[in-house]
Structures are given as C-alpha cells and as structure tokens.
Amino acid sequence: MNLPEAPTPEQLSDLLARCALRDQRAFATLYQFSSAKLFAVAVRITRRKDWAEEVLQEAFVNIWNHAAGYSSAKSAPMTWMSAIVRNRALDWLRRPREVEIDEEHEELMASLADESPGPEELLRRSLEAGELAECMKALTEEQRRSITLAFFYGLSHAELAQQMRKPLGSVKTWIRRGLDRLKGCLDQLVK
Amino acid sequence: MRFADETLRDKLAAEYVLGTLSPRARRRFEIYLRGNPQLRRAVSEWETRLGPLTGVLPSTEPPARVWQAIQTRLQIGRKAKTGFWENLSFWRVSSFASGLLALALLVFVALPKPETPVEAGRMVVVMNDLATKRPAMTASWEAGQRGGRTLRIRVIGHAEMAPNTSWELWMLPGGEQKPVSLGLITTHETQIVKIPAALGSQLDAAQGLAMSVEPANGSPTGLPTGPVLYAGESIKT
C-alpha cells in the first residue's frame, strides 16, 4: 500500500482527539501516518532495530493511553509524539541491563564512527528544521556537535565526553551555553 | 532541588529534553515533573524548541510485527464485536487517502447507522473519565418528544476546571458524522442543558456524548480542540 502524503498537524491533532475517544480506526491511521518518522527517532537513539521496535511499541501504547492528555494548544502533535518516543528510548538505554555495559558501550561508540550520513550532515541538508537550523548555525562548532550528538544518540554528559575525547567539564559547558544561546535565538525569531 | 529558581528550572528542563541527565537525575526529575506544572511547561517549551531536529531523520518503516504487537497489547482491532468503544469514529478527515480508509474498513467493522426516530423513553449516558475509566458524569433526557430536550447533567465527585478553560459538551452522532456542540457546562453537581428542537431527534439517535476541555469561551473551531476528558454511550432505558 502506498503511504499517503505527509499529514498536516491538524490531521494528526484530529486523530489524537479521536484516539482519546477510543477510536481504533483513528489510532490505526495515526500509526500509518507517523510510525516511520517515529521509528527513525527510536532507531537513532537505541542504535538497534530490535530495541527500536520495543520502544516504538511502548510509545504507541503510551500514545493510545494518554491521547486524552494531548492539547493542540500546547504543542504540535509530532512534537508531542516524538517526545514520548524519545523518552521511552532514553529510558530503554538507561535501564539496568544484564549485558556487560562496557562491551555494549564500545559497540555504541563504534557505531557512531561509521554513521552515514551523520546528524550534522542531516541537519545541514535539512530544510524542515527551519528556524532551529538557522539558530544552530549561530553556535560554536563544539556546542553544535555536543548538542546534536546528545539529541540524536541519547548520550549522557559522560558518554559525550568520551565520544568527543574532551574533558567532562568542557562538554557540560558547551551544552549549557549552547542551549542558552539556542533559546535566546529561537525566542527572538519567534517574536 | 529547588525549582522556585526559574533559571535552574529551565536548565534542567533543557537537559532533560536533550537527554543528557544521568539515569538517576532523570528519574528524580520525572518525579518532580508530575507535581510541578511550571516544570512541565518548561519541558514542553524545550520539546517544541528542539523537536524540529527529529524532522531531519529519514523515515524508516517499522516491520509489520510492531503494529501487531501493539494491537495484541491493547487488545484492539481483532474483534468482530461492534461495541461503542470499538467503533467510535466521529470525524472524517476527508483528505485521507482512500486506500487507507479501505484498509481501515477491513480492520474495523462499520457501525450500522441509526435511522428511525427513537421511540419515547428515557435516555441515559454514563460518561467515563477516560484516564481513570470510572464514571465521571451522567446525562439523561426524555426521548421521542416533539420540541427541545431537557438534558439533566450530573457531575460525579468534585471535579475541578483549570483557570481560563471551559467544559464543552458534545453530541456524538456516530458513523462518520462530526460531533455537534451542545454548549458549555459547569462543574456543578447537577445542572440542566436545554437542547433546541432542531437537534432533538438527532440527540435521541446519537451514539453518545463527550466532554472536552476548551478555551474559556468554548471551542473556536466548532469541533473539540482540547483533550476529551469524559465520554460515554447512550443507553435507552
């Protein structure tokens, strides 16, 4: 089956409102429209398709159960759903695991190295990111790199420091100042 | 942690959304988040700021087993039963691809349309709180009369309305028809809503009622825009 054109935020909000009323057909449609985008988010953070599948499943169960709490006045539907997927993916990564953590960590770090195209490349190419991409350009290279790595791969401060081979204190400062600057820039553009 | 400090609040919200908090800090933050609306707002603002980043990722189709697993977990989609909750579909989004609708129709059994006027009798709707699944509001009226209807509403328990919002009551005609506003209601335990004659027989035949949270003066669009808190099926007694 061919997937329909990208749905508008209004369509997605409408589907969420119907999910709140336990409309299963709306839920199936919502899944059709959004699962590929959301799966990409989960794959990027968890780095493993099988984990990403678990995360996506958890996230859609959450979306169905909490659809009544969604408010179109507060956030765009894709933003709301992506945040659920991201949070489930981050929980998944940070959950207590039986697997040897060092080994897994090495795999993660190795997989970051051969990434193609990288998130920064994607960001450069992207037209969708609009204002955000504009504001990302205003950051220093270290700030931009640490923020994109953290966002796309769900890396903690310590993991970032290791990945970037920089002191933890510097990474924390880049992130903090980068976020500050982003906020200032975006808030100004929105006004 | 002190969250009265707005700068600290915003910094933590940003790092939470970015995903850099340690597992322990993250769990603690989530506990604070539940009881702190200002913190929730800060998180939601950061989600909106950074959210567009996810748009740059190329779409990746998940395998079909994910959707099957979701259906199994939620116990939806597979039943032949045509109950209210299994079949509600109130709004049609006309621009959806027809293939998609056809597929959806294969999965979900279409609801028979009510046609004939409902005979005289008492109609009752018990609306459940969709979050707790418990009865939260009831409505009743005499069906099958000429003229308008007098809806008797009873709010169960002590409900609270957030500032600058309103509660809007909706008639859900069923099938593919859109919800129809029945006006704003209050949190008072008992209240009466007058329904004009033009909507009388439609109300009698409606599939159910629902309540959504809307801006202070009601939905600006004529359709529910806020979260739907309560909904329930009409029962003829």
Side-chain angles (χ1 to χ4, degrees):
Chain A
M1 186 186 71
N2 288 327
L3 273 180
E5 297 284 307
T8 64
E10 289 73 28
Q11 284 175 327
L12 292 174
S13 294
D14 188 49
L15 288 169
L16 279 169
R18 290 161 60 186
C19 287
L21 290 165
R22 314 283 87 175
D23 178 347
Q24 297 179 6
R25 203 158 79 181
F27 186 55
T29 311
L30 183 72
Y31 183 86
Q32 291 285 341
F33 273 152
S34 61
S35 55
K37 274 277 172 206
L38 296 175
F39 190 53
V41 173
V43 168
R44 187 67 62 150
I45 294 179
T46 61
R47 317 292 306 145
R48 271 177 55 168
K49 287 246 163 102
D50 54 342
W51 291 356
E53 287 177 27
E54 294 286 334
V55 164
L56 191 68
Q57 186 188 320
E58 284 285 328
F60 268 95
V61 168
N62 279 339
I63 288 168
W64 173 253
N65 287 335
H66 295 110
Y70 170 72
S71 159
S72 55
K74 281 192 195 137
S75 55
M78 260 333 255
T79 301
W80 187 76
M81 291 192 288
S82 301
I84 290 177
V85 172
R86 283 180 54 78
N87 284 330
R88 290 291 72 74
L90 290 171
D91 289 347
W92 186 275
L93 277 190
R94 311 264 149 95
R95 79 198 190 285
R97 274 169 284 181
E98 289 161 16
V99 197
E100 187 58 44
I101 195 81
D102 282 341
E103 186 187 309
E104 206 171 79
H105 195 77
E106 290 306 313
E107 274 173 34
L108 173 77
M109 291 307 166
S111 69
L112 288 182
D114 63 23
E115 188 54 41
S116 61
E120 287 168 281
E121 174 57 27
L122 284 171
L123 187 66
R124 250 195 304 278
R125 282 197 226 155
S126 161
L127 296 170
E128 282 179 62
E131 283 155 351
L132 182 61
E134 225 19 71
C135 289
M136 291 293 276
K137 280 188 210 153
L139 305 183
T140 68
E141 197 183 328
E142 283 108 346
Q143 289 169 351
R144 188 167 50 244
R145 192 163 150 68
S146 48
I147 286 176
T148 43
L149 280 176
F151 187 85
F152 285 110
Y153 297 104
L155 300 188
S156 65
H157 286 131
E159 289 167 326
L160 273 175
Q162 193 183 340
Q163 169 67 18
M164 297 174 80
R165 297 196 179 81
K166 297 288 177 191
L168 182 60
S170 311
V171 170
K172 284 186 174 176
T173 308
W174 291 331
I175 297 256
R176 183 166 47 79
R177 295 210 179 132
L179 286 170
D180 264 356
R181 210 189 266 192
L182 263 189
K183 185 186 178 192
C185 175
L186 284 168
D187 290 359
Q188 204 170 12
L189 280 182
V190 171
K191 275 167 203 161
Chain B
M1 270 191 263
R2 282 173 54 248
F3 288 112
D5 178 352
E6 199 189 325
T7 317
L8 175 65
R9 197 161 61 211
D10 194 65
K11 177 181 176 295
L12 283 167
E15 300 257 4
Y16 172 75
V17 172
L18 188 61
T20 43
L21 293 185
S22 72
R24 189 156 163 267
R26 205 176 154 76
R27 275 195 299 278
R28 279 174 62 194
F29 184 86
E30 279 172 345
I31 292 168
Y32 286 115
L33 201 56
R34 277 178 226 143
N36 192 327
Q38 287 172 310
L39 203 56
R40 278 205 299 277
R41 190 163 58 236
V43 165
S44 159
E45 282 170 6
W46 272 105
E47 283 169 351
T48 298
R49 284 190 197 105
L50 298 179
L53 278 177
T54 57
V56 312
L57 295 174
S59 295
T60 312
E61 207 60 51
R65 60 177 171 267
V66 178
W67 176 241
Q68 284 155 10
I70 293 167
Q71 284 184 306
T72 306
R73 275 192 55 186
L74 295 173
Q75 302 197 317
I76 59 172
R78 302 257 171 87
K79 293 181 232 170
K81 204 180 141 209
T82 59
F84 177 75
W85 301 108
E86 286 77 14
N87 291 289
L88 279 183
S89 100
F90 310 125
W91 297 262
R92 175 201 285 272
V93 179
S94 55
S95 50
F96 284 174
S98 56
L100 197 66
L101 275 176
L103 176 91
L105 282 167
L106 284 178
V107 180
F108 301 98
V109 181
L111 199 91
K113 281 215 173 108
E115 304 140 359
T116 46
V118 172
E119 290 167 33
R122 192 162 184 76
M123 301 295 297
V124 176
V125 179
V126 178
M127 278 167 268
N128 280 342
D129 181 323
L130 295 180
T132 65
K133 314 272 193 295
R134 289 164 182 272
M137 189 158 81
T138 62
S140 62
W141 69 95
E142 294 298 328
Q145 311 163 324
R146 285 173 181 277
R149 303 281 183 273
T150 303
L151 220 59
R152 290 172 195 284
I153 305 280
R154 194 181 159 90
V155 178
I156 300 163
H158 295 282
E160 280 191 32
M161 198 185 287
N164 300 316
T165 64
S166 64
W167 281 9
E168 191 152 355
L169 189 66
W170 303 90
M171 168 172 86
L172 311 171
E176 295 289 352
Q177 296 174 72
K178 291 177 176 179
V180 178
S181 175
L182 298 179
L184 301 183
I185 55 172
T186 70
T187 54
H188 291 152
E189 196 185 340
T190 56
Q191 49 193 306
I192 283 183
V193 176
K194 292 279 184 190
I195 307 298
L199 290 178
S201 56
Q202 209 185 337
L203 178 67
D204 295 349
Q207 199 173 9
L209 297 176
M211 184 276 280
S212 73
V213 177
E214 299 296 335
N217 297 317
S219 165
T221 65
L223 285 174
T225 62
V228 174
L229 296 193
Y230 306 158
E233 186 179 8
S234 298
I235 304 158
K236 187 156 185 299
T237 58

